[in-house]
Amino acid sequence: MADTMSSLPLQQLISTINTRRLPVVLQVCSGIYFQGSVYELSGSEVCFSTGDLVKVTGLTLISVTCEDTISGQISELPLNPKGVFKQFPEGRRYQSLKDMLGARSQGTGNPGLPFSFISRCELTVDDLVVGPGTVMVAHSVEAPMGEGGTERMLCRMSGSQGGSVRLVLPLRCQGEFYECFSLQEIMSGAELCRGLFCSVDAIEGAERPLIFCPVYEVEARMHLRKDTVRFPSSLEVDVVEVTDQPDDMAFITPLTLDELLTLPDDTFPATARIVETPTVDHLVQSGWVEELRGDQELILHGKGSVSMALFSSARRIKRQYFLVSEGYGGRFRRRPREFLSVFEVYVASTQAPGLRVTVTRSVQEAEDDVSGLVVGEELEVVGHRIGAQEAQQSNPKQSADVLICRRIEELSDDEEEAEGGAAAAAAAAAAILELPLHWHGFFREVISNNKKYKIKDLCQQFSLPLNVKVVSRDADLAGDPLYGISSLRLECVTVETFIQASFPTSPEFCFTIPIRCLSMVVYFTQESLPWPRDEPPVVHVEVVTEVTESFYLEKCRLIYSQQPPPPRPPKHNLSLAVKVTPKPCIREPLADSPASVPCKAKVPLPLPKGPRKPALPSPKTSCKPQQSVQPKGNPYEACRITQGEVQSEDSDHDYESADLIDTIKKMQEFVSY
């Protein structure tokens, strides 16, 4: 398209564009770049490649360079200089002020006041002499006053004292008049910008022609970029204007799924196309996800938000996770929940008063005053007692939080008649149990009804989580993925924002794209919808979406992070424990020793030099005291400590006896050397 046309440098072509013609379309032909030219300008990155289309929407003058054509000197000018310039060589000459106004008003009818001009001749106005080359600024034109009056032009010029002098010139005034231009006027005119200029103060015959090179900040749109790009016109890129080319040059604006939510509702339905293969983030496992590829066409039906329930299957090998909307037509039946601690039973009882559970595994008596539990016992939660803080030291068991339960015992008619009033009261008191919250146990919820519920009724009538099972499938689904799973756990209800879409091959079967589950970029196309106008088909919306374990864990982390942790078991009062103090070790005198000298059990003995010999075997456990074995020729005697002396009166402190036995072994090793 651009090969048959002559290309120009970007700066030269931009300087010829009149801002009234915007927008214009340019095509990149060549430039100084390697696989795309990247310019980082104030954080804006622009990449040009051959064939790229650029739609210029705005121009802002940022700087002007002035080049002296005689000396070649280049300098930068301020954007608003005070002086004006005249064309070189001399521009169009006007014989009167009326001719100059008529030429400026040609085509538009507006002379474009104010403007500057000079006269090559000397002018005399009301005893005021205006020298040749004096710059005058025309501000307004006055209508003739009365019959026979003439039109006059109100002008001003700079005085000798630095002020301005007011002039009133008749339009029929004759002379040689030339227009002058400010730098802004030169830059805004396409024809003027390509010309040569000189200073009005230059002496005739000694003018130095000047070339002005403006540098603009170009605001443009590019293909597949949703934001406006900005770059200077001084980039060394060759372009050609293709605004009038008949080819369709649609500038595509990519949109993310979050940006689609901000569009008005009347935008949908519409046809769109995927830019690149979306990033699924391993959160969705539905079949339609595999068909979302780059350049795939979609039909976007609408947007919105809906409450969806998060389910998980009870399988241990291959668990499945589902997001189910409230429009699901299947029916559920509750299934008993499993609890692995007393604290879990307590949490469930706060959400469902009067909770009943059965013991699925026996729990032996672990603490004083707390009886064990037997398989098959049925308990009803009655209340909860918070332990007293001041009882922490005196009685730790009173400081623990407990769950008050009532053991439910079904008696026959004969047993009920045989029970008296006092006996019945005693039995009722004995049936009350206080279970510490830190206990581990195995319980199963008791469900008394077999009622069927819709998913909306489950969320409104019961506290989550719940164990349920689908007993009636959704008739609108060809294959209900929830039907046939033995047990489902309803974890929570979440609000998901979505985009409702379908494929053009089957526009009536819609699926919901969760916004936070997919990262996808699309753009709208001009293709028509695959159904007659104002006759949309009856759509079938997907109500069950399978998600991954990552989605499930992330959602559960947000839910359960707000719940308090389970209680710790109470601390034991260690001050009441009996400590065992080892008896002193008595060393018996040798045959030639004058007397026996008592020694403590931990006497520092000198370590022998040389290789270490193996230790003697430890004394055997016996009820009778045994003499320690004495090696021959040893200067020391073994300490006589019996096993009976090692044993403590308190069997709860066996760890002290073990430490004492280790000390004996070490002493025997020292004695052996």
Side-chain angles (χ1 to χ4, degrees):
M1 176 174 59
D3 296 341
T4 60
M5 304 177 63
S6 60
S7 60
L8 295 174
L10 177 63
Q11 185 169 2
Q12 181 178 348
L13 184 57
I14 290 295
S15 62
T16 62
I17 296 177
N18 191 344
T19 55
R20 299 176 182 177
R21 295 181 51 233
L22 295 179
V24 296
V25 181
L26 307 179
Q27 186 176 25
V28 179
C29 296
S30 62
I32 302 175
Y33 55 84
F34 176 72
Q35 291 184 352
S37 178
V38 177
Y39 305 89
E40 293 191 3
L41 308 168
S42 302
S44 177
E45 182 181 286
V46 181
C47 178
F48 291 124
S49 298
T50 301
D52 284 353
L53 296 176
V54 181
K55 188 175 185 178
V56 180
T57 58
L59 296 174
T60 304
L61 184 65
I62 56 177
S63 64
V64 178
T65 59
C66 177
E67 180 182 358
D68 191 333
T69 58
I70 297 178
S71 63
Q73 183 181 0
I74 299 176
S75 60
E76 185 172 344
L77 299 179
L79 294 181
N80 296 311
K82 294 182 180 180
V84 291
F85 303 89
K86 62 181 180 180
Q87 289 180 313
F88 181 87
E90 291 181 346
R92 182 176 177 181
R93 184 179 62 180
Y94 300 98
Q95 299 294 331
S96 65
L97 294 178
K98 187 175 183 179
D99 295 341
M100 186 167 55
L101 283 177
R104 291 182 62 89
S105 304
Q106 187 176 4
T108 60
N110 184 6
L113 298 173
F115 65 92
S116 302
F117 65 97
I118 60 174
S119 174
R120 295 289 300 274
C121 303
E122 186 178 281
L123 300 177
T124 302
V125 181
D126 297 335
D127 299 333
L128 182 63
V129 179
V130 180
T134 302
V135 179
M136 293 172 284
V137 181
H139 286 276
S140 61
V141 177
E142 295 181 354
M145 300 178 63
E147 296 183 1
T150 60
E151 293 181 326
R152 299 183 302 174
M153 185 166 59
L154 178 61
C155 304
R156 287 186 178 275
M157 70 176 184
S158 299
S160 59
Q161 301 299 328
S164 61
V165 179
R166 184 174 181 270
L167 296 175
V168 179
L169 301 177
L171 293 184
R172 65 172 183 266
C173 182
Q174 301 292 323
E176 294 184 21
F177 300 99
Y178 297 90
E179 288 186 80
C180 297
F181 305 94
S182 65
L183 185 61
Q184 291 287 348
E185 292 174 339
I186 296 174
M187 295 298 100
S188 60
E191 297 294 335
L192 294 176
C193 189
R194 293 194 295 265
L196 297 178
F197 294 85
C198 63
S199 176
V200 294
D201 299 330
I203 301 175
E204 186 176 355
E207 298 93 344
R208 305 181 70 90
L210 304 174
I211 298 177
F212 298 109
C213 298
V215 178
Y216 294 93
E217 183 186 58
V218 182
E219 296 183 7
R221 290 180 55 193
M222 298 184 64
H223 186 64
L224 289 180
R225 286 197 66 159
K226 55 188 173 184
D227 52 346
T228 301
V229 296
R230 293 177 174 85
F231 55 90
S233 60
S234 58
L235 299 182
E236 297 181 359
V237 177
D238 293 341
V239 295
V240 63
E241 184 178 353
V242 292
T243 306
D244 300 331
Q245 294 296 322
D247 298 344
D248 54 341
M249 295 172 295
F251 286 83
I252 297 172
T253 302
L255 299 171
T256 62
L257 297 182
D258 291 326
E259 292 171 342
L260 290 176
L261 293 177
T262 62
L263 299 179
D265 294 337
D266 55 2
T267 308
F268 305 98
T271 57
R273 194 176 296 272
I274 303 176
V275 177
E276 295 180 356
T277 302
T279 303
V280 184
D281 295 335
H282 307 290
L283 297 178
V284 182
Q285 286 186 340
S286 297
W288 50 265
V289 177
E290 300 178 356
E291 301 185 28
L292 298 180
R293 297 181 298 272
D295 204 40
Q296 171 66 46
E297 188 176 355
L298 294 176
I299 299 176
L300 304 181
H301 294 265
K303 60 184 179 66
S305 59
V306 65
S307 297
M308 306 188 77
L310 180 62
F311 285 87
S312 64
S313 63
R315 301 172 182 173
R316 296 184 178 180
I317 300 177
K318 185 180 179 181
R319 299 190 65 181
Q320 292 178 286
Y321 310 94
F322 304 94
L323 271 178
V324 184
S325 66
E326 294 182 350
Y328 178 74
R331 297 294 187 272
F332 297 87
R333 183 173 291 164
R334 292 187 58 197
R335 291 184 61 85
R337 291 175 287 180
E338 302 286 342
F339 306 105
L340 300 180
S341 65
V342 179
F343 179 74
E344 293 183 8
V345 178
Y346 161 68
V347 173
S349 65
T350 58
Q351 301 171 352
L355 177 67
R356 290 191 178 188
V357 295
T358 58
V359 181
T360 58
R361 189 179 300 181
S362 298
V363 180
Q364 300 297 330
E365 181 179 351
E367 299 182 11
D368 297 340
D369 302 332
V370 180
S371 61
L373 301 176
V374 183
V375 176
E377 285 187 323
E378 185 174 344
L379 305 177
E380 181 182 0
V381 179
V382 178
H384 169 236
R385 190 191 70 198
I386 301 178
Q389 186 68 23
E390 57 273 7
Q392 181 71 26
Q393 299 296 334
S394 61
N395 190 358
K397 297 180 180 58
Q398 294 296 329
S399 64
D401 296 350
V402 297
L403 184 67
I404 303 175
C405 302
R406 181 173 63 88
R407 183 184 285 113
I408 299 176
E409 297 180 357
E410 296 183 0
L411 302 178
S412 61
D413 297 338
D414 298 338
E415 292 177 345
E416 291 180 357
E417 294 177 359
E419 291 287 348
I432 298 298
L433 300 178
E434 293 186 356
L435 304 179
L437 293 187
H438 62 271
W439 259 27
H440 292 282
F442 302 90
F443 308 93
R444 178 178 294 175
E445 183 182 10
V446 177
I447 298 177
S448 58
N449 60 49
N450 292 327
K451 186 178 177 181
K452 297 180 181 180
Y453 301 90
K454 293 183 179 180
I455 186 172
K456 187 175 182 179
D457 299 334
L458 286 174
C459 299
Q460 293 179 351
Q461 299 180 16
F462 301 98
S463 300
L464 305 182
L466 284 177
N467 288 1
V468 296
K469 180 182 179 180
V470 178
V471 293
S472 300
R473 68 173 67 201
D474 190 345
D476 296 336
L477 297 180
D480 192 345
L482 302 181
Y483 186 77
I485 299 179
S486 59
S487 180
L488 291 170
R489 182 178 176 87
L490 176 56
E491 297 286 353
C492 62
V493 177
T494 178
V495 178
E496 295 290 337
T497 52
F498 65 90
I499 298 294
Q500 195 175 94
S502 66
F503 296 107
T505 55
S506 54
E508 65 276 4
F509 294 101
C510 296
F511 51 88
T512 57
I513 304 177
I515 297 299
R516 69 184 194 90
C517 294
L518 273 80
S519 177
M520 187 170 63
V521 179
V522 300
Y523 64 90
F524 289 109
T525 62
Q526 302 298 328
E527 300 180 10
S528 59
L529 297 172
W531 57 73
R533 183 183 297 271
D534 299 332
E535 294 183 6
V538 179
V539 297
H540 304 279
V541 183
E542 181 186 42
V543 294
V544 180
T545 303
E546 186 174 0
V547 295
T548 62
E549 186 178 8
S550 301
F551 180 92
Y552 169 79
L553 295 178
E554 179 66 19
K555 182 62 66 174
C556 291
R557 183 184 65 83
L558 297 176
I559 296 174
Y560 296 114
S561 61
Q562 303 176 358
Q563 297 183 1
R568 289 184 176 181
K571 296 181 179 180
H572 295 282
N573 194 349
L574 300 180
S575 61
L576 302 178
V578 179
K579 296 184 179 180
V580 178
T581 303
K583 295 181 180 181
C585 175
I586 306 299
R587 187 182 68 181
E588 293 184 354
L590 299 175
D592 54 352
S593 177
S596 61
V597 180
C599 65
K600 294 183 179 181
K602 295 184 180 180
V603 178
L605 299 176
L607 294 177
K609 298 182 180 180
R612 186 175 180 179
K613 296 182 180 181
L616 294 176
S618 59
K620 297 181 180 180
T621 304
S622 176
C623 297
K624 297 181 179 181
Q626 296 182 359
Q627 297 289 339
S628 59
V629 180
Q630 301 181 7
K632 189 175 182 181
N634 197 317
Y636 297 99
E637 290 183 353
C639 295
R640 297 169 54 190
I641 300 179
T642 63
Q643 183 73 12
E645 295 174 345
V646 173
Q647 293 180 352
S648 172
E649 293 84 3
D650 191 355
S651 61
D652 293 336
H653 301 278
D654 293 338
Y655 62 93
E656 296 188 0
S657 301
D659 294 341
L660 191 58
I661 293 175
D662 293 340
T663 304
I664 295 174
K665 291 181 180 180
K666 293 180 181 179
M667 293 177 63
Q668 289 176 349
E669 293 177 4
F670 292 141
V671 171
S672 65
Y673 294 113

